[in-house]
Amino acid sequence: MTETARPDAHTSAVVTFGETMALVRTTEIGSLKHASTLALGIGGAESNVAIGLRRLGAPVSWLGRVGDDPLGERVLREIRGEGVTVHGIVDADAPTGLMIKARPSSSSSAVHYYRAGSAGSRLGPADLPAGWVEGASILHITGITPLLSPSAREAARDAVDRARVAGVTVSFDINYRSALADPAVAGPVLRDIAERADIIFGDAAELGVLYPDATPADAAARLMDAGTKQVVLKLGPEGAATSTSSERIESPGFVVDVIDTVGAGDAFVAGYLSAHLAGLDLRSTLLRANACGAMACQVPGDWEAAPTLQELERFLEGGDPVRR
C-alpha cells in the first residue's frame, strides 16, 4: 500500500501539541503495590497520534514542554526517533510529568498521573511559533491540554483561532480526563473548542460532557449546527460512526486478542486523520481507523503497536473473519 497526502494541502502535514510524560508500567499482572519490575517509556495523547500518523506516512510536527531532566530528554528523543518533527521546549523550572500504568487483572489497566506543576502544564500561547499552525493542513488538539492549566487553555484557544483564520482544518479529540476537571468545569471549556472544530472525536460519554442533556445523535447535530463537518463517534470494540450534515456512516470493529487498550483511541485518530489527508472516502477512513485502534490493543504500551501502512495492509488482508 503506497499513498501520499493530497498535493493541494498546504504542507500535507499535521501539527499537534500537548504534554507527553515519562511512562512507567508494570511488567506483570497484579497490584502496583506489589510490582517488582517496571519498564520505562513515554506516553501522551498528542504524541501518540503524531507517531501513529508518521508511521502511516504523514509528515507531522509535535510541540511540547519537558523538564530539564533525563525523563524530558527521553521524551524528546523517543518522539524524534519516530521521525516526528519535534519542537521541544526545555523548562528548567519544572519537572517532566510522570504516569504509572499497572494491570490489576488480565482484562484491566489502571493509570496514575503525577503531573501537577509539570513542565508540560506550563505550556502557553507564546510557545507556539509564528506560522507553525498556519502552515499545516490539520491542527490536532485534545481535550486534555485545555484542562491542564489556564495557560495551556489559552494556548489551545489561540491555536484554534489561528487555524480558523488560516483555513487550517481543526481536529479535536475530546479525550475527557475526569482527573483534570469534573464535568461541570470541563464541559464549557471543551464545548467552546468543539464548536469551533471541523472534525471531532469522542465516545457517547464524552459527547455527554459537552451536552449533558443530549443523546450522541443530538450532540452531533448541535455540533454540526455550530459548523463542525464530521463528528466521529467511537464505539470501542463495536467500531465507530461518522456523522456529517448529509449522512451517517457506520463501520464495525475488529475481533482481536486485547492486551492493553490504552492508546487505542489515539491510534484510531491517527488512522482517521491519515486517511483524511490521503483523500479516502468516509467508509474507507473509518475502516482504517478501526483497524489501527484494534492493532494498538494487541501490544502493551501507548504507541508501540501503531502500524505502518504495510502492517496495516497485512492486517486488513485478513478480511471478514476478523471483523464483527
Side-chain angles (χ1 to χ4, degrees):
M1 180 186 295
T2 58
E3 63 184 44
T4 57
R6 289 174 292 178
D8 60 339
H10 300 283
T11 59
S12 299
V14 180
V15 297
T16 186
F17 62 93
E19 181 174 31
T20 294
M21 296 174 284
L23 168 61
V24 174
R25 61 177 176 84
T26 58
T27 58
E28 69 267 14
I29 297 172
S31 170
L32 178 61
K33 62 187 176 183
H34 297 303
S36 57
T37 56
L38 301 169
L40 178 63
I42 69 164
E46 298 83 6
S47 58
N48 293 347
V49 171
I51 291 169
L53 278 163
R54 190 68 199 99
R55 289 187 179 180
L56 292 169
V60 59
S61 175
W62 170 88
L63 182 149
R65 296 178 73 95
V66 299
D68 186 10
D69 49 44
L71 297 180
E73 291 179 16
R74 173 104 179 208
V75 167
L76 300 183
R77 186 184 74 241
E78 291 276 12
I79 301 173
R80 190 175 289 118
E82 288 292 323
V84 175
T85 299
V86 171
H87 294 267
I89 302 159
V90 178
D91 190 333
D93 298 318
T96 302
L98 173 68
M99 57 178 164
I100 301 177
K101 184 164 65 174
R103 294 184 62 200
S105 69
S106 60
S107 60
S108 66
S109 50
V111 183
H112 307 271
Y113 296 97
Y114 301 87
R115 69 197 318 173
S118 67
S121 69
R122 289 155 59 98
L123 184 76
D127 293 325
L128 308 183
W132 185 69
V133 171
E134 292 80 358
S137 298
I138 298 174
L139 165 69
H140 176 70
I141 61 174
T142 77
I144 297 172
T145 301
L147 298 181
L148 289 176
S149 67
S151 65
R153 185 174 309 138
E154 288 306 308
R157 288 173 173 165
D158 184 63
V160 171
D161 289 343
R162 287 168 54 179
R164 286 167 60 86
V165 169
V168 174
T169 296
V170 177
S171 165
F172 180 51
D173 186 356
I174 300 170
N175 219 336
Y176 171 60
R177 294 288 186 267
S178 59
L180 294 175
D182 65 42
V185 173
V189 173
L190 302 183
R191 185 167 61 248
D192 173 66
I193 294 175
E195 290 181 346
R196 293 185 293 141
D198 299 292
I199 304 173
I200 295 174
F201 302 89
D203 60 25
E206 289 170 332
L207 290 173
V209 173
L210 301 185
Y211 304 105
D213 61 337
T215 66
D218 291 336
R222 293 189 192 185
L223 288 166
M224 285 184 282
D225 285 343
T228 299
K229 297 178 177 64
Q230 298 177 17
V231 179
V232 186
L233 178 62
K234 298 178 185 178
L235 299 171
E238 302 305 316
T242 296
S243 295
T244 70
S245 60
S246 61
E247 61 182 340
R248 186 178 192 272
I249 302 294
E250 298 181 7
S251 182
F254 291 80
V255 176
V256 296
D257 293 326
V258 175
I259 302 298
D260 184 359
T261 60
V262 176
D266 301 326
F268 175 96
V269 170
Y272 195 99
L273 294 180
S274 74
H276 180 81
L277 278 171
L280 303 189
D281 62 40
L282 282 180
R283 196 170 299 279
S284 299
T285 297
L286 280 172
L287 176 67
R288 174 182 291 192
N290 283 332
C292 289
M295 294 177 75
C297 292
Q298 297 180 288
V299 175
D302 276 30
W303 51 268
E304 286 79 354
T308 64
L309 282 172
Q310 292 74 25
E311 291 166 341
L312 176 65
E313 184 175 54
R314 287 196 294 270
F315 180 84
L316 290 173
E317 283 174 354
D320 289 338
V322 299
R323 303 186 68 196
R324 290 185 181 274

Short mmCIF file of all heavy atoms in Angstrom, two decimals, residues 248-302:
data_model
loop_
_atom_site.label_atom_id
_atom_site.label_comp_id
_atom_site.label_asym_id
_atom_site.label_seq_id
_atom_site.Cartn_x
_atom_site.Cartn_y
_atom_site.Cartn_z
N ARG A 248 -24.72 9.46 7.65
CA ARG A 248 -24.11 8.81 8.81
C ARG A 248 -23.54 7.48 8.34
O ARG A 248 -24.27 6.62 7.84
CB ARG A 248 -25.10 8.59 9.95
CG ARG A 248 -24.45 8.05 11.23
CD ARG A 248 -25.51 7.92 12.33
NE ARG A 248 -24.92 7.68 13.64
CZ ARG A 248 -24.61 6.47 14.13
NH1 ARG A 248 -24.86 5.38 13.40
NH2 ARG A 248 -24.09 6.35 15.34
N ILE A 249 -22.24 7.30 8.46
CA ILE A 249 -21.56 6.10 8.01
C ILE A 249 -21.10 5.32 9.23
O ILE A 249 -20.47 5.87 10.14
CB ILE A 249 -20.34 6.43 7.13
CG1 ILE A 249 -20.76 7.26 5.90
CG2 ILE A 249 -19.62 5.16 6.71
CD1 ILE A 249 -21.64 6.51 4.94
N GLU A 250 -21.43 4.03 9.27
CA GLU A 250 -21.00 3.16 10.37
C GLU A 250 -20.00 2.14 9.86
O GLU A 250 -20.07 1.71 8.71
CB GLU A 250 -22.21 2.45 10.99
CG GLU A 250 -23.23 3.38 11.59
CD GLU A 250 -24.40 2.63 12.21
OE1 GLU A 250 -24.33 1.38 12.28
OE2 GLU A 250 -25.38 3.29 12.62
N SER A 251 -19.08 1.75 10.74
CA SER A 251 -18.10 0.73 10.39
C SER A 251 -17.87 -0.15 11.60
O SER A 251 -17.62 0.35 12.70
CB SER A 251 -16.78 1.39 9.96
OG SER A 251 -15.83 0.42 9.58
N PRO A 252 -17.99 -1.47 11.45
CA PRO A 252 -17.84 -2.38 12.59
C PRO A 252 -16.39 -2.48 13.04
O PRO A 252 -15.45 -2.15 12.30
CB PRO A 252 -18.33 -3.72 12.04
CG PRO A 252 -18.06 -3.64 10.57
CD PRO A 252 -18.29 -2.21 10.20
N GLY A 253 -16.21 -2.96 14.27
CA GLY A 253 -14.88 -3.14 14.81
C GLY A 253 -14.28 -4.48 14.41
O GLY A 253 -14.84 -5.23 13.61
N PHE A 254 -13.11 -4.76 14.95
CA PHE A 254 -12.39 -5.99 14.68
C PHE A 254 -12.28 -6.82 15.96
O PHE A 254 -12.18 -6.27 17.05
CB PHE A 254 -10.97 -5.69 14.17
CG PHE A 254 -10.93 -5.07 12.81
CD1 PHE A 254 -11.17 -3.72 12.64
CD2 PHE A 254 -10.65 -5.84 11.69
CE1 PHE A 254 -11.13 -3.14 11.38
CE2 PHE A 254 -10.61 -5.27 10.43
CZ PHE A 254 -10.85 -3.92 10.27
N VAL A 255 -12.29 -8.12 15.80
CA VAL A 255 -12.07 -9.02 16.93
C VAL A 255 -10.58 -9.32 17.03
O VAL A 255 -9.98 -9.85 16.10
CB VAL A 255 -12.86 -10.33 16.77
CG1 VAL A 255 -12.53 -11.29 17.91
CG2 VAL A 255 -14.36 -10.04 16.73
N VAL A 256 -9.97 -8.92 18.15
CA VAL A 256 -8.54 -9.17 18.37
C VAL A 256 -8.35 -9.61 19.82
O VAL A 256 -9.23 -9.46 20.66
CB VAL A 256 -7.69 -7.90 18.11
CG1 VAL A 256 -7.77 -7.49 16.65
CG2 VAL A 256 -8.13 -6.75 19.02
N ASP A 257 -7.20 -10.18 20.10
CA ASP A 257 -6.84 -10.51 21.48
C ASP A 257 -6.33 -9.24 22.15
O ASP A 257 -5.26 -8.73 21.80
CB ASP A 257 -5.75 -11.60 21.51
CG ASP A 257 -6.27 -12.93 20.98
OD1 ASP A 257 -7.45 -13.22 21.19
OD2 ASP A 257 -5.47 -13.65 20.34
N VAL A 258 -7.10 -8.72 23.09
CA VAL A 258 -6.78 -7.44 23.71
C VAL A 258 -5.78 -7.63 24.84
O VAL A 258 -6.01 -8.39 25.77
CB VAL A 258 -8.06 -6.76 24.24
CG1 VAL A 258 -7.70 -5.48 24.98
CG2 VAL A 258 -9.02 -6.46 23.09
N ILE A 259 -4.66 -6.89 24.74
CA ILE A 259 -3.64 -6.89 25.78
C ILE A 259 -3.68 -5.59 26.56
O ILE A 259 -3.60 -5.58 27.79
CB ILE A 259 -2.23 -7.09 25.17
CG1 ILE A 259 -2.16 -8.41 24.38
CG2 ILE A 259 -1.17 -7.03 26.25
CD1 ILE A 259 -2.39 -9.63 25.24
N ASP A 260 -3.82 -4.47 25.87
CA ASP A 260 -3.76 -3.16 26.51
C ASP A 260 -4.54 -2.17 25.65
O ASP A 260 -4.18 -1.92 24.50
CB ASP A 260 -2.30 -2.72 26.66
CG ASP A 260 -2.12 -1.42 27.42
OD1 ASP A 260 -3.14 -0.82 27.82
OD2 ASP A 260 -0.96 -1.00 27.60
N THR A 261 -5.60 -1.58 26.20
CA THR A 261 -6.43 -0.66 25.41
C THR A 261 -5.94 0.78 25.47
O THR A 261 -6.41 1.61 24.69
CB THR A 261 -7.88 -0.71 25.89
OG1 THR A 261 -7.94 -0.31 27.26
CG2 THR A 261 -8.48 -2.09 25.73
N VAL A 262 -5.02 1.09 26.39
CA VAL A 262 -4.53 2.47 26.49
C VAL A 262 -3.78 2.82 25.20
O VAL A 262 -2.90 2.10 24.75
CB VAL A 262 -3.61 2.64 27.71
CG1 VAL A 262 -3.02 4.05 27.74
CG2 VAL A 262 -4.37 2.36 28.99
N GLY A 263 -4.15 3.92 24.60
CA GLY A 263 -3.54 4.35 23.35
C GLY A 263 -4.31 3.93 22.12
O GLY A 263 -4.02 4.41 21.01
N ALA A 264 -5.31 3.06 22.28
CA ALA A 264 -6.08 2.60 21.12
C ALA A 264 -6.84 3.76 20.48
O ALA A 264 -6.93 3.85 19.25
CB ALA A 264 -7.03 1.49 21.52
N GLY A 265 -7.39 4.64 21.32
CA GLY A 265 -8.12 5.79 20.78
C GLY A 265 -7.22 6.72 19.98
O GLY A 265 -7.63 7.28 18.96
N ASP A 266 -5.98 6.88 20.43
CA ASP A 266 -5.03 7.72 19.71
C ASP A 266 -4.65 7.08 18.37
O ASP A 266 -4.52 7.78 17.36
CB ASP A 266 -3.78 7.95 20.55
CG ASP A 266 -4.09 8.61 21.88
OD1 ASP A 266 -5.01 9.43 21.93
OD2 ASP A 266 -3.41 8.28 22.87
N ALA A 267 -4.47 5.77 18.36
CA ALA A 267 -4.18 5.08 17.11
C ALA A 267 -5.35 5.21 16.14
O ALA A 267 -5.16 5.37 14.92
CB ALA A 267 -3.89 3.61 17.38
N PHE A 268 -6.57 5.13 16.66
CA PHE A 268 -7.77 5.32 15.86
C PHE A 268 -7.74 6.70 15.19
O PHE A 268 -7.96 6.83 13.98
CB PHE A 268 -9.00 5.18 16.75
CG PHE A 268 -10.31 5.46 16.07
CD1 PHE A 268 -11.08 4.44 15.55
CD2 PHE A 268 -10.79 6.77 15.96
CE1 PHE A 268 -12.29 4.71 14.92
CE2 PHE A 268 -12.00 7.04 15.33
CZ PHE A 268 -12.75 6.01 14.81
N VAL A 269 -7.46 7.73 15.98
CA VAL A 269 -7.43 9.09 15.45
C VAL A 269 -6.35 9.23 14.38
O VAL A 269 -6.56 9.84 13.33
CB VAL A 269 -7.21 10.11 16.58
CG1 VAL A 269 -6.94 11.50 16.02
CG2 VAL A 269 -8.44 10.15 17.50
N ALA A 270 -5.16 8.66 14.64
CA ALA A 270 -4.09 8.72 13.65
C ALA A 270 -4.51 8.07 12.34
O ALA A 270 -4.25 8.60 11.25
CB ALA A 270 -2.83 8.05 14.20
N GLY A 271 -5.16 6.91 12.44
CA GLY A 271 -5.63 6.24 11.24
C GLY A 271 -6.64 7.08 10.49
O GLY A 271 -6.60 7.19 9.25
N TYR A 272 -7.55 7.69 11.24
CA TYR A 272 -8.60 8.50 10.61
C TYR A 272 -8.00 9.72 9.90
O TYR A 272 -8.32 10.00 8.73
CB TYR A 272 -9.59 8.96 11.68
CG TYR A 272 -10.90 9.48 11.14
CD1 TYR A 272 -12.03 8.68 11.10
CD2 TYR A 272 -11.03 10.80 10.67
CE1 TYR A 272 -13.24 9.15 10.61
CE2 TYR A 272 -12.21 11.28 10.17
CZ TYR A 272 -13.33 10.45 10.15
OH TYR A 272 -14.52 10.93 9.65
N LEU A 273 -7.13 10.44 10.59
CA LEU A 273 -6.57 11.65 10.00
C LEU A 273 -5.65 11.34 8.82
O LEU A 273 -5.61 12.10 7.84
CB LEU A 273 -5.81 12.45 11.06
CG LEU A 273 -6.68 13.05 12.18
CD1 LEU A 273 -5.80 13.83 13.16
CD2 LEU A 273 -7.79 13.93 11.62
N SER A 274 -4.92 10.23 8.89
CA SER A 274 -4.07 9.87 7.75
C SER A 274 -4.91 9.57 6.52
O SER A 274 -4.56 9.94 5.40
CB SER A 274 -3.17 8.68 8.10
OG SER A 274 -3.91 7.46 8.12
N ALA A 275 -6.04 8.90 6.73
CA ALA A 275 -6.94 8.61 5.62
C ALA A 275 -7.58 9.89 5.08
O ALA A 275 -7.76 10.04 3.86
CB ALA A 275 -8.01 7.62 6.07
N HIS A 276 -7.91 10.78 5.99
CA HIS A 276 -8.49 12.07 5.57
C HIS A 276 -7.49 12.85 4.71
O HIS A 276 -7.85 13.40 3.66
CB HIS A 276 -8.86 12.88 6.82
CG HIS A 276 -9.46 14.22 6.53
ND1 HIS A 276 -10.78 14.39 6.19
CD2 HIS A 276 -8.89 15.46 6.49
CE1 HIS A 276 -11.02 15.68 5.98
NE2 HIS A 276 -9.88 16.35 6.15
N LEU A 277 -6.24 12.88 5.12
CA LEU A 277 -5.20 13.56 4.34
C LEU A 277 -5.03 12.92 2.97
O LEU A 277 -4.76 13.61 1.98
CB LEU A 277 -3.87 13.51 5.09
CG LEU A 277 -3.63 14.55 6.18
CD1 LEU A 277 -2.36 14.21 6.95
CD2 LEU A 277 -3.54 15.95 5.58
N ALA A 278 -5.18 11.60 2.92
CA ALA A 278 -4.99 10.88 1.66
C ALA A 278 -6.21 10.95 0.75
O ALA A 278 -6.18 10.44 -0.37
CB ALA A 278 -4.65 9.42 1.94
N GLY A 279 -7.29 11.57 1.23
CA GLY A 279 -8.47 11.74 0.40
C GLY A 279 -9.37 10.53 0.30
O GLY A 279 -10.17 10.41 -0.64
N LEU A 280 -9.28 9.59 1.26
CA LEU A 280 -10.14 8.41 1.23
C LEU A 280 -11.57 8.80 1.59
O LEU A 280 -11.82 9.78 2.29
CB LEU A 280 -9.63 7.36 2.22
CG LEU A 280 -8.19 6.86 2.04
CD1 LEU A 280 -7.94 5.67 2.95
CD2 LEU A 280 -7.90 6.51 0.59
N ASP A 281 -12.54 8.00 1.11
CA ASP A 281 -13.93 8.27 1.46
C ASP A 281 -14.18 7.90 2.92
O ASP A 281 -13.35 7.25 3.58
CB ASP A 281 -14.89 7.54 0.52
CG ASP A 281 -14.75 6.02 0.56
OD1 ASP A 281 -14.58 5.44 1.66
OD2 ASP A 281 -14.83 5.40 -0.51
N LEU A 282 -15.33 8.29 3.45
CA LEU A 282 -15.60 8.11 4.88
C LEU A 282 -15.62 6.64 5.29
O LEU A 282 -15.14 6.28 6.37
CB LEU A 282 -16.94 8.76 5.24
CG LEU A 282 -16.93 10.28 5.39
CD1 LEU A 282 -18.33 10.78 5.76
CD2 LEU A 282 -15.91 10.72 6.44
N ARG A 283 -16.16 5.78 4.45
CA ARG A 283 -16.21 4.37 4.81
C ARG A 283 -14.81 3.78 4.91
O ARG A 283 -14.48 3.06 5.86
CB ARG A 283 -17.05 3.58 3.80
CG ARG A 283 -17.48 2.21 4.29
CD ARG A 283 -18.51 1.58 3.37
NE ARG A 283 -19.71 2.39 3.27
CZ ARG A 283 -20.69 2.38 4.17
NH1 ARG A 283 -20.59 1.61 5.25
NH2 ARG A 283 -21.76 3.13 3.99
N SER A 284 -13.96 4.11 3.95
CA SER A 284 -12.58 3.62 3.98
C SER A 284 -11.80 4.26 5.13
O SER A 284 -10.93 3.63 5.75
CB SER A 284 -11.88 3.94 2.66
OG SER A 284 -12.53 3.30 1.58
N THR A 285 -12.11 5.50 5.45
CA THR A 285 -11.46 6.20 6.55
C THR A 285 -11.78 5.53 7.88
O THR A 285 -10.89 5.29 8.71
CB THR A 285 -11.90 7.68 6.57
OG1 THR A 285 -11.46 8.32 5.36
CG2 THR A 285 -11.33 8.42 7.77
N LEU A 286 -13.04 5.20 8.09
CA LEU A 286 -13.44 4.52 9.33
C LEU A 286 -12.83 3.13 9.41
O LEU A 286 -12.42 2.68 10.49
CB LEU A 286 -14.96 4.44 9.42
CG LEU A 286 -15.68 5.70 9.89
CD1 LEU A 286 -17.19 5.52 9.73
CD2 LEU A 286 -15.34 6.00 11.35
N LEU A 287 -12.78 2.43 8.29
CA LEU A 287 -12.18 1.10 8.28
C LEU A 287 -10.73 1.17 8.73
O LEU A 287 -10.28 0.39 9.58
CB LEU A 287 -12.27 0.51 6.87
CG LEU A 287 -11.59 -0.85 6.68
CD1 LEU A 287 -12.32 -1.93 7.47
CD2 LEU A 287 -11.55 -1.22 5.19
N ARG A 288 -9.99 2.12 8.18
CA ARG A 288 -8.59 2.25 8.58
C ARG A 288 -8.49 2.63 10.06
O ARG A 288 -7.65 2.08 10.78
CB ARG A 288 -7.89 3.32 7.72
CG ARG A 288 -6.47 3.58 8.21
CD ARG A 288 -5.75 4.66 7.42
NE ARG A 288 -5.45 4.24 6.06
CZ ARG A 288 -4.63 4.90 5.25
NH1 ARG A 288 -4.03 6.00 5.67
NH2 ARG A 288 -4.39 4.45 4.03
N ALA A 289 -9.30 3.56 10.50
CA ALA A 289 -9.23 3.99 11.90
C ALA A 289 -9.52 2.84 12.84
O ALA A 289 -8.81 2.63 13.85
CB ALA A 289 -10.22 5.14 12.13
N ASN A 290 -10.55 2.06 12.55
CA ASN A 290 -10.88 0.91 13.39
C ASN A 290 -9.76 -0.12 13.41
O ASN A 290 -9.44 -0.70 14.45
CB ASN A 290 -12.17 0.25 12.89
CG ASN A 290 -13.41 1.01 13.29
OD1 ASN A 290 -13.44 1.70 14.29
ND2 ASN A 290 -14.47 0.88 12.48
N ALA A 291 -9.14 -0.33 12.27
CA ALA A 291 -8.04 -1.30 12.20
C ALA A 291 -6.86 -0.83 13.04
O ALA A 291 -6.26 -1.61 13.78
CB ALA A 291 -7.62 -1.50 10.74
N CYS A 292 -6.51 0.45 12.93
CA CYS A 292 -5.39 0.98 13.72
C CYS A 292 -5.67 0.87 15.21
O CYS A 292 -4.78 0.52 15.99
CB CYS A 292 -5.11 2.43 13.33
SG CYS A 292 -4.39 2.64 11.69
N GLY A 293 -6.90 1.18 15.61
CA GLY A 293 -7.26 1.06 17.02
C GLY A 293 -7.17 -0.37 17.52
O GLY A 293 -6.68 -0.63 18.63
N ALA A 294 -7.64 -1.30 16.70
CA ALA A 294 -7.59 -2.71 17.09
C ALA A 294 -6.16 -3.21 17.20
O ALA A 294 -5.80 -3.94 18.13
CB ALA A 294 -8.37 -3.56 16.07
N MET A 295 -5.31 -2.82 16.27
CA MET A 295 -3.92 -3.25 16.30
C MET A 295 -3.19 -2.72 17.53
O MET A 295 -2.34 -3.40 18.11
CB MET A 295 -3.21 -2.79 15.02
CG MET A 295 -3.74 -3.46 13.76
SD MET A 295 -2.96 -2.84 12.24
CE MET A 295 -1.37 -3.65 12.33
N ALA A 296 -3.55 -1.52 17.96
CA ALA A 296 -2.91 -0.93 19.13
C ALA A 296 -3.24 -1.67 20.42
O ALA A 296 -2.50 -1.57 21.40
CB ALA A 296 -3.31 0.54 19.27
N CYS A 297 -4.35 -2.40 20.42
CA CYS A 297 -4.77 -3.14 21.62
C CYS A 297 -3.98 -4.43 21.83
O CYS A 297 -4.09 -5.06 22.88
CB CYS A 297 -6.25 -3.50 21.53
SG CYS A 297 -7.37 -2.11 21.62
N GLN A 298 -3.20 -4.82 20.86
CA GLN A 298 -2.57 -6.14 20.90
C GLN A 298 -1.18 -6.16 21.53
O GLN A 298 -0.58 -7.23 21.67
CB GLN A 298 -2.49 -6.71 19.48
CG GLN A 298 -3.87 -6.94 18.85
CD GLN A 298 -3.78 -7.49 17.46
OE1 GLN A 298 -3.40 -6.79 16.51
NE2 GLN A 298 -4.11 -8.75 17.31
N VAL A 299 -0.68 -4.98 21.90
CA VAL A 299 0.68 -4.87 22.44
C VAL A 299 0.66 -3.91 23.63
O VAL A 299 -0.01 -2.87 23.56
CB VAL A 299 1.66 -4.35 21.37
CG1 VAL A 299 3.04 -4.12 21.97
CG2 VAL A 299 1.74 -5.35 20.21
N PRO A 300 1.38 -4.19 24.71
CA PRO A 300 1.46 -3.23 25.82
C PRO A 300 2.12 -1.94 25.37
O PRO A 300 2.98 -1.93 24.49
CB PRO A 300 2.33 -3.95 26.86
CG PRO A 300 2.27 -5.39 26.50
CD PRO A 300 2.13 -5.43 25.00
N GLY A 301 1.71 -0.84 25.98
CA GLY A 301 2.30 0.45 25.63
C GLY A 301 1.29 1.37 24.99
O GLY A 301 0.24 0.94 24.50
N ASP A 302 1.61 2.67 24.98
CA ASP A 302 0.68 3.67 24.47
C ASP A 302 0.72 3.81 22.95
O ASP A 302 -0.29 4.15 22.34
CB ASP A 302 1.00 5.03 25.09
CG ASP A 302 0.36 5.20 26.46
OD1 ASP A 302 0.19 4.18 27.16
OD2 ASP A 302 0.04 6.33 26.83
#
